Amino acid sequence: MNEVLRQEKKFLISVEQMYQCSQYLQETMIQDPHNGAEGYTVRSLYFDTLENRDFMEKEDGVELRRKIRLRCYQPADDFAMLEMKQKQGAMQKKRSLRMKRDDARRLAQCDYKVLLCYDEEFARECYALMNMYCYLPRAVVEYRRKAFIARENKIRVTFDHQIKATESNMDIFSSQLVQNPVLNPYLTVFEVKYNGFLLSYIKDLLQICDRSELSVSKYCLGRSVSTHYNF
């Protein structure tokens, strides 16, 4: 089980700004080894309660909240990462557990007892929460991510674009997943994740973007139409 505690800043910028910032970062940071010309694919299955509590708490800006997701990177992957993100004031805590492909598929089919096959305490916590609050698979969100890393201060900068989603097929390993765009294709979610303080050249980058900080949730983008309709 991996655990990360950090601060996150999110901005909505144009694709043109993304390319400009990427050019700047190539000279100051290390590219994620998985980066291609347009980054790499991230695909996440998000779970939520019967009452869509996690969605509503995010929309309402509740101070302490969580979201649970199952993440892979390619349909052919032999594993997926079960992740829980918890908002705690200015900090975000993320814990993750690597699951076998077959176990991840069982989890996506609401067979939560598969978590009891793992020795980690985090697995047992997820089992208890997902049963207690009746978590269900809600949406699959996929996007292209370009990432840069700084060794100092554990800084990670990401650009997420081509964001699309589906609420009709929860198989994150499907090679024929039909999804629809949920964000203007000319926009990008720009995130800065760090511990402690930001280095000066990262602060300069935020000024280049010239955008006010926003609360952008890819899960909420994937759920916004149907969930607002239901409520």
Side-chain angles (χ1 to χ4, degrees):
M1 193 272 290
N2 295 320
E3 181 174 325
V4 178
L5 185 65
R6 62 195 179 192
Q7 295 187 63
E8 296 184 359
K9 292 181 176 293
K10 292 186 180 183
F11 305 84
L12 203 57
I13 64 174
S14 68
V15 170
E16 180 183 3
Q17 287 176 309
M18 177 188 73
Y19 288 121
Q20 291 172 348
C21 293
S22 294
Q23 185 65 38
Y24 172 78
L25 291 175
Q26 287 174 13
E27 301 172 1
T28 55
M29 299 182 75
I30 302 168
Q31 285 210 48
D32 187 295
H34 300 99
N35 278 355
E38 297 295 323
Y40 57 92
T41 300
V42 179
R43 182 183 284 182
S44 298
L45 166 61
Y46 289 89
F47 297 84
D48 208 336
T49 67
L50 282 174
E51 302 83 10
N52 294 304
R53 188 178 77 172
D54 295 351
F55 175 91
M56 299 306 295
E57 287 185 348
K58 170 63 178 177
E59 291 285 277
D60 294 340
V62 174
E63 185 73 10
L64 302 176
R65 59 181 186 268
R66 76 170 69 89
K67 62 184 173 188
I68 300 174
R69 68 191 180 203
L70 195 59
R71 171 167 289 183
C72 72
Y73 299 92
Q74 296 292 338
D77 284 348
D78 62 359
F79 74 97
M81 301 299 295
L82 176 63
E83 299 178 342
M84 182 190 298
K85 291 189 71 174
Q86 292 170 282
K87 173 76 170 174
Q88 301 178 347
M91 305 298 290
Q92 293 267 4
K93 181 168 74 171
K94 184 179 82 169
R95 290 177 289 165
S96 57
L97 172 72
R98 186 183 175 107
M99 299 187 69
K100 299 175 183 176
R101 178 187 178 97
D102 289 344
D103 291 344
R105 271 198 154 140
R106 287 175 58 188
L107 191 69
Q109 296 167 358
C110 301
D111 184 3
Y112 299 143
K113 65 179 179 293
V114 70
L115 292 167
L116 301 179
C117 299
Y118 293 82
D119 295 331
E120 289 84 348
E121 182 179 343
F122 174 60
R124 294 192 293 273
E125 180 183 341
C126 288
Y127 171 78
L129 283 171
M130 296 176 84
N131 278 283
M132 184 185 307
Y133 295 106
C134 299
Y135 272 84
L136 298 171
R138 293 298 196 181
V140 174
V141 179
E142 181 180 311
Y143 49 90
R144 299 290 294 178
R145 164 168 285 180
K146 198 161 190 177
F148 297 86
I149 306 161
R151 292 189 180 94
E152 312 94 336
N153 221 18
K154 298 182 179 179
I155 296 173
R156 184 173 173 84
V157 176
T158 60
F159 300 93
D160 298 337
H161 58 114
Q162 300 178 29
I163 303 173
K164 51 189 178 179
T166 180
E167 296 177 86
S168 61
N169 186 343
M170 302 297 123
D171 183 5
I172 60 171
F173 296 112
S174 172
S175 60
Q176 299 178 328
L177 200 61
V178 177
Q179 300 177 91
N180 297 309
V182 292
L183 183 68
N184 186 318
Y186 296 104
L187 294 177
T188 297
V189 177
F190 164 47
E191 297 184 44
V192 180
K193 307 168 187 180
Y194 63 101
N195 290 338
F197 59 91
L198 281 174
L199 300 172
S200 60
Y201 66 89
I202 303 294
K203 291 181 179 178
D204 291 342
L205 176 65
L206 300 186
Q207 293 177 355
I208 291 171
C209 289
D210 190 28
R211 283 288 187 273
S212 300
E213 188 174 352
L214 298 171
S215 179
V216 183
S217 167
K218 290 181 282 292
Y219 169 53
C220 289
L221 288 174
R223 293 293 316 279
S224 58
V225 175
S226 65
T227 310
H228 280 307
Y229 178 82
N230 289 334
F231 284 82

